[in-house]
Amino acid sequence: MENYNCKVNKRCGGCQLSNMSYEEQLTYKQRQVNALLSQFCRVEKIIGMKNPFHYRNKVQAAYYYDFRRRKTVSGVYQSNSKSIVPVDSCMLENEKADRIIVTIRRLCDTFKIVPYDIRKGSGFLRHVLIRYGNSTGEIMVVIVSSNPIFPSRNNFVKALLKEHPEITTVVHNINPSDINLALGERSKTLYGKGYIEDRLCGLTFRISPSSFYQVNSVQCETLYQKAIEFAELTGNETVFDSYCGTGTIGLIAASEAKQVLGVELNKNAVRDAVSNAKRNGVRNIYFTCDDAGEYLEYITGEGERFDVVIMDPPRAGSDVKFLKSVVKAQPKRVVYVSCNPVTLKRDLEFLTAEGYKVNRIQPVDMFPYTSHTEVVCALSAE
Ligand code: SAH
């Protein structure tokens, strides 16, 4: 295994645990999850990675023009700030993606493409987003700009593909807003199919520029397998997959369930989910684009019931509307996948007060060298 070796980690702030060995990090995360959640049930041993480096399949880089040295610089935003720390290679990011980011920086100078300056509100290139299909090798490059006029567009893309024939699609996205690292509504595919595919747990998934996809593909398979195991499916269950993203967990569960219903707020992710169902020939799954809480409240009001609810909310956790509807839907089991043990604790307090029992708590290290921990949790109606 490589050794951790980064010259900019203090300024970047992305690796909060860089002062610990990987073993120490696992112990630290285990203790943190135990302290928060062992009141509900015994916490199982955290599942770590064999090789905790270069696991990020989604990489973003910001660019600026260094007037003194008269060249373009690429890097990452310093935590909670608008200044960019120059970075050429990162211990956590996919290495191919890092090399493409450096090439784009060089091409910007060749083609006189000026990075966007948020203070002046001028310039073109805002950031680049790269997504890598870990098991297919497909690579998507999204060039995000402040306006639609891409100077020397065709030659730029040609030059990029010449240096990186491994790139399978290039998308131009326009983000006129003042939010850094965001994608705008408008996208144009400049090369390839406009999305990539990846394989997880035996199924193929389509990933568009803006849809959520777990950033660590290796650990993601372990996490999903645990979630499916905790759902204890026998083939007869109706499953509600909430916060379903591109439908990954629900699609994997579908072969062991009677029927699955997925709910997701992002309409692009829902579009991917529907196409993922088709692509994999899964016929017993349906998707709807809605707020998870509002939708569950509505269909439980209509008398719909579920045997299993799978929930995988963002860091802020779920909300009272959703949790109340879960209780009303009377599932026998709830599988809660969480990327934030603090909001998980709050939501488990709600569900246990309403009569649910926590049977298993499994931490999975999806984000080595950072302070984040993923936890999957099994609950049942008492
Ligand atoms: N289960 C998926 C996605 C998890 S990420 C996977 O493993 O890939 C959380 C998802 O919740 C994101 O796709 C986000 O768009 C969605 N989301 C956020 N708030 C939501 C809400 N209120 N209702 C439904 N979906 C929501």
Side-chain angles (χ1 to χ4, degrees), residues 212 214 224 243-245 248-249 264-266 290-292 312-314:
F212 177 90
Q214 292 286 356
Y224 286 171
Y243 309 90
C244 72
T248 40
I249 303 179
E264 162 63 46
L265 202 52
N266 176 326
D290 213 327
D291 172 86
D312 184 8

Side-chain angles (χ1 to χ4, degrees), residues 248-265:
T248 40
I249 303 179
L251 283 159
I252 297 164
S255 62
E256 295 171 42
K258 189 161 120 207
Q259 205 175 59
V260 183
L261 179 60
V263 181
E264 162 63 46
L265 202 52

